[in-house]
Amino acid sequence: MKNTLPILQLAIPTPLRRFFDYLPPKSYDLTQLKPGMRLKVPFGRRELTGIFIRNVETSTVPEGKLKQALAVLDTEPVIPTDILELATKAANYYQHPIGEVLLGILPTELRQGKPLPEITPAEAENENILAETPLSLNPAQADALSHLITFIDHFTVTLLHGVTGSGKTEVYLQAIEHCLKQQKQILVLVPEIGLTPQLLQRFRARFTAPIVAIHSGMTNKSRLTAWLKAKSGEAKIIIGTRSAVFTPLNNLGMIIVDEEHDLSFKQQDGFHYHARDVAILRASQKNIPIVLGSATPSLETLQNARTERYHLKKLPERAGLAMRPTFHLIDVRNQTLEQGLSKELIAAIEQHLKEDNQVMLFLNRRGYAPILLCHSCGWMATCSRCDMRMTWHRKAGYLLCHHCDKQTKVPSQCKQCGGKTLQAAGQGTEQLEETLSFLFPDYPIERIDRDSTRRKGEMEKAFARIQSGEARILTGTQMLAKGHHFPNVTLVAIVDADGGFFSADFRALERMGQQVLQVAGRAGRAEKPGTVMIQTHHPDHPLLYQLLNEGYAAFSDSLLQERAKIILPPFTYFALFRAEANQLEKADAFLKHIRDTIAIKHPIQIMGPIPAPIPRRAGRYRAQLLLQSTTRPALQNTLKKYMPDIENLRSGKKVRWSLDVDPLEIG
């Protein structure tokens, strides 16, 4: 319907996948309104912050029912044009409401409609951008750097595949130096907050240019300040976790994604984007290079390198005097273990400590024990909301469900037979720390997991104790294994390497291999030689043997051949609908309606609905429906065609549901 007044199309943070039409505020000069500016608008009984997208001449809403925007909140766009375009493409690809995406990428204060703070002009830049002299490069590093500089003004994706300790960071630093000399900004993405302080320290030691960090562990105020410095161009190097991929940058010249294989780059709830893939899209938009660095690249990235969609640069040797660690498998079958530790491993720990070195033990299970059971009847403590076993956190004095975070007191007797012979089964990092304290009472221990680093600043303090040498024995989960440089660690032990052999997830073996090599990479990173000891009940497993004796390239090649034969990613494409409800029948009914809504014809295959791997979580029943296609366009076209109908299904009002395009976890 034609309206006499201009109509503003806005993105509003709602689950609805569309724009909303409003009349302009009274007495506002529309020539001042630009896409990306915020407006305050009435929405139902609330007032919300929306993002202006465009003017339109007509609306499906009758003229008399169009509401008027209350106020324009900005004089300049808070979301620049390039970020609007990036977020819109990402929202379309991942099939997520654009309003939630656009408001979600803003700092909290701006989402709330608070005024944009004024930016203090930056001080004059130091002409000498280097605070220290770069290190000498070996031939492979020099070749990788030369390649990056050659393509510095073009969109290219380069996989920097270097073994752990091969000096990838030094290549990053010297490529960044080249960008800084051209007055460009650099965005560096890391998978975990825990890696940020170490990188910040390394980068600040090298460069005089302003550097900021952006991650969820910051206060709202400090994150807004860093965001504004990045947007204005004052900050030259931006180091952040996945959400930083949407940070506005005034003059972006290069993107680096460190540990590109890491699962943390994929958002697992809400807007299910993959920061690595969005970063590649952003680099393409800006016609700039992007570097993907990893010692254990994802199979998707390796396949793109094999087909020459990506450039591949290898760093096959450790940098400087560091040598590849020696691997040693410990067959724990039929052995008597000391709380999960073999005699051989205990002796090795003792020897390395006597030589004034540090040792690290990896166990990817936090808590004291994953199971509390009754020795009399076999009863196990399970979560009443998830039907999953609860983990015993002994120091905290409770049982905790790691799926829904429900806590309960530790029972004094069995709830089934009344017996009092309750005991721990299995081992977590808390119990491992206790065992190590008993075996090596004279050596300080540092445990790194989600429980020990929960308080603000604890992670930084723990890593400072490790780097200073105060902590001699390190133990923890994958938080300890990712990308950290511990030059005095000469022994790394993987307490239990068998988890990846039995998972129903087809990616489990890939992740097992990545985890083993990433953990192993913490050993022998300086002049001292390193040893890696791996406890396993399956020392003869062919893929484990291949991983340790032939390396990640041969291991990943075997996995790619297997995936190609059975048509799994990266040789096919998935989209996963998840639904949960207070009754399984409701979740199933909605997913069946989706299945019936979509035309089932080649090349789209539909599997399900089936119960999720954890069928009940937080008191709600969960099911899923998998869409599969041999081509990405076919899958995208199907979703684009049918999502409006799916969103209007009446059965969808009775469930919570989500869509995950390119899921990394089928569960």
Side-chain angles (χ1 to χ4, degrees):
M1 177 178 178
K2 184 79 173 177
N3 287 273
T4 56
L5 288 173
I7 298 168
L8 313 182
Q9 259 190 359
L10 304 182
I12 305 293
T14 75
L16 301 174
R17 293 158 33 91
R18 63 182 180 86
F19 297 120
F20 293 83
D21 297 342
Y22 284 88
L23 296 175
K26 292 179 181 178
S27 306
Y28 182 78
D29 181 4
L30 283 178
T31 62
Q32 303 298 311
L33 192 58
K34 302 172 186 175
M37 291 169 60
R38 297 172 301 154
L39 286 84
K40 183 186 290 186
V41 297
F43 194 86
R45 297 181 180 180
R46 300 175 291 163
E47 291 181 0
L48 297 179
T49 301
I51 302 295
F52 174 62
I53 303 298
R54 65 177 73 90
N55 289 320
V56 294
E57 294 183 356
T58 60
S59 173
T60 56
V61 180
E63 184 174 2
K65 294 192 175 182
L66 275 174
K67 293 183 179 180
Q68 192 166 46
L70 302 174
V72 178
L73 301 177
D74 305 307
T75 56
E76 291 294 330
V78 295
I79 303 180
T81 303
D82 62 325
I83 300 298
L84 271 178
E85 180 185 350
L86 177 71
T88 300
K89 286 184 176 179
N92 289 339
Y93 180 81
Y94 293 105
Q95 302 292 326
H96 199 79
I98 182 63
E100 290 188 350
V101 173
L102 289 177
L103 273 294
I105 66 178
L106 290 176
T108 302
E109 289 90 335
L110 301 186
R111 287 203 301 270
Q112 295 171 345
K114 294 180 180 178
L116 189 68
E118 290 190 18
I119 303 171
T120 305
E123 297 179 7
E125 293 182 29
N126 189 337
E127 290 185 8
N128 183 14
I129 60 174
L130 292 178
E132 66 177 11
T133 304
L135 302 177
S136 297
L137 301 180
N138 62 34
Q141 289 175 304
D143 178 62
L145 178 63
S146 175
H147 165 82
L148 295 177
I149 292 174
T150 300
F151 291 97
I152 201 73
D153 295 318
H154 306 280
F155 168 62
T156 53
V157 185
T158 300
L159 168 59
L160 191 60
H161 182 187
V163 299
T164 52
S166 59
K168 291 186 292 294
T169 304
E170 184 61 31
V171 176
Y172 299 159
L173 290 168
Q174 296 195 29
I176 288 170
E177 177 188 344
H178 191 83
C179 281
L180 291 174
K181 287 177 178 176
Q182 296 185 347
Q183 305 296 314
K184 299 288 183 68
Q185 291 173 291
I186 301 92
L187 174 63
V188 182
L189 297 178
V190 295
E192 294 279 358
I193 295 172
L195 293 177
T196 309
Q198 182 172 292
L199 267 184
L200 276 171
Q201 183 180 10
R202 182 89 179 268
F203 280 40
R204 284 172 176 158
R206 174 65 58 90
F207 300 116
T208 61
I211 303 172
V212 297
I214 294 180
H215 56 75
S216 60
M218 304 168 72
T219 64
N220 289 341
K221 183 177 180 181
S222 60
R223 188 170 185 177
L224 175 61
T225 300
W227 187 88
L228 291 170
K229 287 182 178 180
K231 184 175 185 289
S232 70
E234 177 184 345
K236 299 303 179 186
I237 302 173
I238 295 85
I239 301 174
T241 49
R242 62 173 176 259
S243 61
V245 72
F246 292 106
T247 303
L249 297 168
N250 192 43
N251 192 16
L252 182 59
M254 176 182 283
I255 301 175
I256 296 169
V257 183
D258 195 28
E259 309 294 351
E260 68 81 30
H261 66 277
D262 200 283
L263 184 64
S264 300
F265 281 122
K266 174 77 174 185
Q267 175 74 26
Q268 297 296 345
D269 51 24
F271 178 29
H272 291 273
Y273 70 97
H274 198 304
R276 177 200 62 210
D277 297 341
V278 174
I280 293 171
L281 175 60
R282 185 170 187 180
S284 173
Q285 267 184 222
K286 303 296 288 185
N287 196 30
I288 61 171
I290 179 169
V291 184
L292 310 179
S294 178
T296 55
S298 66
L299 295 191
E300 285 80 3
T301 296
L302 281 173
Q303 179 62 13
N304 280 322
R306 283 170 112 201
T307 56
E308 299 185 347
R309 290 189 64 202
Y310 297 171
H311 296 277
L312 173 62
K313 288 296 171 181
K314 293 184 177 181
L315 304 180
E317 303 294 335
R318 286 195 161 189
L321 299 175
M323 297 178 292
R324 184 177 186 267
T326 301
F327 287 88
H328 182 59
L329 286 176
I330 301 175
D331 183 355
V332 295
R333 292 175 295 186
N334 300 316
Q335 282 202 39
T336 301
L337 303 179
E338 179 80 31
Q339 296 296 316
L341 303 181
S342 63
K343 292 179 181 178
E344 186 178 355
L345 177 55
I346 293 170
I349 294 171
E350 185 174 16
Q351 181 62 37
H352 281 259
L353 290 173
K354 283 181 178 179
E355 293 172 357
D356 203 29
N357 297 316
Q358 291 174 309
V359 301
M360 185 178 112
L361 288 88
F362 173 79
L363 179 64
N364 207 26
R365 287 192 299 269
R366 63 191 177 99
Y368 188 82
I371 302 171
L372 182 69
L373 59 79
C374 175
H375 188 59
S376 300
C377 71
W379 170 86
M380 290 184 288
T382 57
C383 176
S384 61
R385 304 174 70 208
C386 298
D387 296 334
M388 298 296 291
R389 293 190 291 267
M390 300 190 82
T391 299
W392 181 19
H393 287 251
R394 186 173 175 178
K395 284 188 177 180
Y398 54 66
L399 296 172
L400 176 67
C401 176
H402 287 178
H403 302 285
C404 73
D405 287 334
K406 179 181 178 180
Q407 294 181 15
T408 63
K409 292 182 179 179
V410 179
S412 58
Q413 60 187 42
C414 175
K415 293 188 176 181
Q416 183 167 288
C417 72
K420 296 192 176 183
T421 54
L422 298 179
Q423 61 185 42
Q427 186 182 35
T429 50
E430 191 181 315
Q431 186 180 163
L432 179 58
E433 179 186 24
E434 180 182 273
T435 300
L436 292 167
S437 297
F438 173 76
L439 293 171
F440 306 102
D442 298 328
Y443 296 96
I445 298 172
E446 194 69 53
R447 173 166 60 92
I448 304 287
D449 58 25
R450 217 172 94 191
D451 301 316
S452 66
T453 59
R454 194 177 298 275
R455 291 182 181 177
K456 184 176 176 61
E458 282 301 317
M459 187 179 296
E460 290 82 355
K461 293 176 184 176
F463 284 124
R465 289 189 289 269
I466 294 172
Q467 296 290 356
S468 70
E470 177 186 343
R472 298 291 306 284
I473 301 175
L474 327 178
T475 184
T477 59
Q478 58 186 350
M479 292 176 68
L480 188 61
K482 293 182 179 181
H484 299 291
H485 180 67
F486 302 135
N488 292 317
V489 170
T490 55
L491 173 65
V492 165
I494 298 175
V495 176
D496 180 4
D498 296 342
F501 297 140
F502 308 107
S503 174
D505 186 349
F506 71 89
R507 298 183 192 272
L509 282 171
E510 175 188 0
R511 289 180 186 149
M512 180 274 292
Q514 290 168 340
Q515 198 169 74
V516 165
L517 291 189
Q518 289 289 334
V519 174
R522 301 317 110 204
R525 293 177 68 91
E527 291 81 5
K528 300 177 181 179
T531 300
V532 179
M533 305 186 84
I534 302 172
Q535 295 192 155
T536 176
H537 289 86
H538 302 274
D540 302 321
H541 193 287
L543 279 173
L544 181 59
Y545 179 88
Q546 186 178 43
L547 178 70
L548 301 184
N549 291 278
E550 300 177 42
Y552 188 74
F555 170 81
S556 57
D557 192 58
S558 294
L559 289 179
L560 280 169
Q561 291 178 37
E562 182 179 298
R563 298 263 189 100
K565 287 179 182 176
I566 54 180
I567 316 178
L568 287 172
F571 302 98
T572 191
Y573 302 93
F574 284 167
L576 186 69
F577 284 95
R578 297 183 177 97
E580 60 178 59
N582 55 5
Q583 295 176 333
L584 181 59
E585 292 77 11
K586 292 179 180 178
D588 274 344
F590 172 64
L591 295 177
K592 286 175 182 176
H593 287 152
I594 293 177
R595 184 189 63 195
D596 295 342
T597 299
I598 297 175
I600 306 176
K601 57 177 84 169
H602 187 78
I604 296 294
Q605 293 182 321
I606 301 181
M607 289 160 276
I610 60 172
I614 302 176
R616 192 167 72 107
R617 187 165 73 183
R620 299 178 69 84
Y621 293 90
R622 307 162 70 240
Q624 55 194 37
L625 183 78
L626 185 69
L627 274 60
Q628 179 178 357
S629 173
T630 54
T631 69
R632 182 176 274 125
L635 183 60
Q636 281 290 316
N637 290 337
T638 298
L639 293 172
K640 183 178 179 180
K641 179 178 180 180
Y642 292 108
M643 279 302 288
D645 295 332
I646 291 169
E647 288 177 330
N648 290 322
L649 288 172
R650 293 181 63 184
S651 54
K653 312 299 181 187
K654 301 175 183 179
V655 302
R656 295 177 191 160
W657 66 277
S658 65
L659 170 62
D660 189 354
V661 177
D662 300 335
L664 292 186
E665 293 185 316
I666 309 296

